[in-house]
Amino acid sequence: MKLFLSHSSIDKPVVTQVWERLGPFCSWIDQAEIDVGDIILEKITEGIEQATHFILFWSKSSAQSNWVKLELHMAFIRYVEDSGCKLKVVCLDDTELPLYLPLKPRNWI
C-alpha cells in the first residue's frame, strides 16, 4: 500500500505528523519526495501514479489551493481510468466538501 498525502502547505505540520507515523515507505509527501531542481509536476504525477490510496486532507486552505485541486483531479482521472486509486478524505476543519467529494464515496474507500 502506498498513500499519497494531498494537503495545503498551511496544513503541513499536521500532515507531516501523520506521515512520520505512517513511515516514508508507505506514504508520499512532497517534502520528502521533491528535491531542489526536480520538476514538481512530474514528481506529483509519479507519486499519484504509484499510489494505491489518495488521502486528501481537507480544510479551508486546501479548498483554496490550486495544487490540491490539481492533485485531486489527477487522482480522479486515475480512478476513472483503472480504479487503481482509492480516495479517503480527512476533514481538518468544518469546511464544506464539494458535491463531488462525499464523506463516504461509494466504491472509493
Side-chain angles (χ1 to χ4, degrees):
M1 179 179 346
K2 185 76 170 184
L3 310 174
F4 184 96
L5 308 179
S6 179
H7 61 285
S8 163
S9 59
I10 292 170
D11 300 323
K12 189 171 292 298
V14 171
V15 178
T16 299
Q17 288 179 2
V18 172
W19 174 76
E20 288 172 348
R21 288 185 175 206
L22 291 170
F25 298 109
C26 73
S27 56
W28 190 102
I29 191 169
D30 56 354
Q31 68 194 32
E33 303 290 339
I34 300 174
D35 294 320
V36 174
D38 285 345
I39 298 172
I40 296 171
L41 189 54
E42 285 181 5
K43 295 299 263 185
I44 290 171
T45 301
E46 185 179 292
I48 293 172
E49 285 176 347
Q50 295 173 358
T52 57
H53 293 74
F54 182 88
I55 312 299
L56 174 62
F57 290 85
W58 189 251
S59 66
K60 181 179 179 181
S61 57
S62 63
Q64 297 171 348
S65 169
N66 288 329
W67 281 108
V68 170
K69 290 174 189 172
L70 175 65
E71 292 167 357
L72 181 58
H73 288 166
M74 287 177 169
F76 269 123
I77 289 168
R78 190 129 180 259
Y79 174 75
V80 169
E81 286 181 350
D82 64 8
S83 299
C85 193
K86 308 292 185 219
L87 173 68
K88 178 74 174 174
V89 179
V90 178
C91 294
L92 299 177
D93 61 24
D94 61 354
T95 301
E96 190 171 325
L97 289 166
L99 288 176
Y100 60 88
L101 276 181
L103 273 176
K104 294 181 180 178
R106 187 171 53 101
N107 297 327
W108 277 58
I109 297 178

